């Protein structure tokens, strides 16, 4: 890890800032203040300045942020500048949605391989990606793949995470809400869609 | 809103605590300390105590939390005790994955209706839910549906959110990463899967 003592919450917000910067830059805007960025995202400007301060100072006082420099800087912090590749395991409905999802490319991310256990799917292509036998997971690192995306049924998620760990994968995006044991040295980010829906009624007045 | 000045981050963590409490309770455990809960989730115990303090005190000093009482309390705070119902708009790969997703039931949530624009899908059933014409969105509130889930292509997400607002929906889970204008009085939680993948390389050492 290159940076220490940086709260996960700050890291979580960096892609939000990156997306906003890409949007504004795409509209032809060259510079913006933390206020301009904050208004676009819907956070407080001090939050943005504080988060960026963990990674050195990007802004120029009185001028603000040069967007192309900001994008480059955040890409480097998040290691997106290396064009990270991910292997997807599980090409069901969710996996297929992920393969066809247009949002990854914006961040320089690519799903470069897909695996399934279903013989009828193996050998076919989805969104241009060949579906391979999950038994052939082992040589991911030699293919330049560092990340894993787990979109399998709950009952097999632990097994798949262990297999990805053995294949040298150090970071996983996990869509299975089941409690998993994370192998040493691996970072697992779990997306539990139900959890996001579960906090929605809090904001909605009854009746 | 019944509670004021509660940080979104605390609300975000409540379903995490709820899930942990449900898991532990399912194992036959009746009581646990904030430490026990924290160990299970992987957060700090003070964080749990602080978050719960916003909503009154659930714990008994020296004893900890009675899990069934904790579950009941959090369910009430999040309004999950009313059995919230959601309407899904967009029954593509992602929408189908959501309809068959087993995780919602744990929180008492139900996808009670599904809508699509594709005439070939309308009238069919997925996971027991009838797919209706998106043009018939208007009477959701009379059907006891308060929440919306938007899983349509980016280009139509704004239109669908506006239609849901007109149908009286006040809370939306939005899977389209596109910037949308949120109608007044509506809460939109956007899930950008790419953003979660985008912060993963940060945690993964190069090479």
């Amino acid at each position: 890890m290159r940076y220490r003592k940086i709260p996960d919450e700050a890291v979580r917000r960096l892609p939000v800032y990156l997306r906003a910067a890409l949007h504004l830059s795409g509209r032809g805007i060259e510079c913006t203040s933390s206020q301009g960025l904050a208004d676009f995202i819907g956070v407080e400007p001090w939050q943005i300045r504080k988060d960026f301060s963990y990674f050195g100072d990007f802004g120029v006082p009185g001028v603000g942020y040069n967007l192309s420099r900001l994008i480059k800087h955040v890409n480097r912090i998040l290691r997106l500048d290396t064009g990270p590749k991910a292997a997807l395991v599980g090409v069901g409905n969710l996996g297929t949605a992920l393969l066809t999802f247009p949002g990854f490319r914006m961040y320089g991310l690519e799903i470069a391989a897909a695996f399934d256990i279903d013989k009828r799917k193996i050998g076919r292509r989805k969104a241009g990606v060949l579906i391979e036998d999950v038994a052939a997971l082992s040589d991911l690192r030699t293919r330049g793949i560092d990340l894993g995306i787990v979109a399998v049924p709950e009952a097999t998620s632990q097994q798949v995470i262990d297999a990805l760990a053995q294949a040298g994968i150090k970071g996983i995006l996990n869509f299975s809400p089941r409690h998993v044991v994370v192998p040493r040295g691996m970072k697992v980010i779990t997306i539990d869609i139900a959890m996001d829906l579960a906090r929605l009624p809090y904001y909605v007045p009854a009746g």
Side-chain angles (χ1 to χ4, degrees), chain A:
Chain A
M1 198 111 8
R2 289 165 305 176
Y3 304 94
R4 297 210 161 263
K5 284 196 203 170
I6 293 164
D8 279 348
E9 288 305 319
V11 178
R12 181 194 291 272
R13 284 185 290 261
L14 285 183
V16 183
Y17 304 151
L18 178 57
R19 182 175 68 173
L22 287 165
H23 271 294
L24 293 171
S25 178
R27 290 184 193 173
I29 296 164
E30 282 179 26
C31 265
T32 189
S33 60
S34 55
Q35 182 73 56
L37 210 51
D39 288 346
F40 187 77
I41 301 165
V43 298
E44 297 295 328
W46 63 261
Q47 182 77 75
I48 295 179
R49 290 194 297 270
K50 193 181 170 197
D51 287 341
F52 283 164
S53 75
Y54 290 114
F55 305 98
D57 207 357
F58 311 177
V60 180
V63 177
Y65 300 102
N66 174 290
L67 286 172
S68 68
R69 207 174 309 151
L70 175 69
I71 290 165
K72 207 170 157 184
H73 203 129
V74 175
N75 270 327
R76 201 180 310 136
I77 294 167
L78 291 175
R79 298 179 200 263
L80 293 170
D81 55 348
T82 60
K85 290 179 183 166
L88 168 74
V89 185
V91 193
N93 285 312
L94 178 61
T96 304
L98 294 171
L99 277 174
T100 57
F101 187 60
F104 293 126
R105 203 163 300 265
M106 181 177 185
Y107 298 101
L109 296 159
E110 186 197 345
I111 300 181
F115 297 90
D116 205 284
I117 201 170
D118 186 343
K119 297 273 182 258
R120 289 165 301 178
K121 291 178 184 170
I122 294 164
R124 301 180 71 168
R125 282 182 183 274
K126 274 265 165 78
V129 179
L130 179 71
I131 302 171
E132 302 173 58
D133 191 332
V134 75
L137 259 181
S138 52
D139 64 340
L140 292 178
R141 293 303 297 279
T142 58
R143 295 163 68 179
I145 295 171
D146 288 324
L147 310 174
I149 302 176
V150 177
V152 299
E154 287 195 23
T156 49
S157 57
Q158 182 70 58
Q159 200 183 331
V160 167
I161 287 172
D162 292 342
L164 285 167
Q166 276 218 300
I169 297 298
K170 296 267 189 270
I172 284 180
L173 195 63
N174 174 35
F175 285 90
S176 171
R178 183 177 168 145
H179 188 70
V180 289
V181 179
V182 177
R184 193 176 289 270
M186 178 182 265
K187 170 77 178 178
V188 176
I189 294 177
T190 294
I191 298 190
D192 183 346
I193 291 163
M195 255 187 200
D196 285 302
L197 189 61
R199 66 193 166 91
L200 191 55
Y202 173 83
Y203 296 99
V204 178

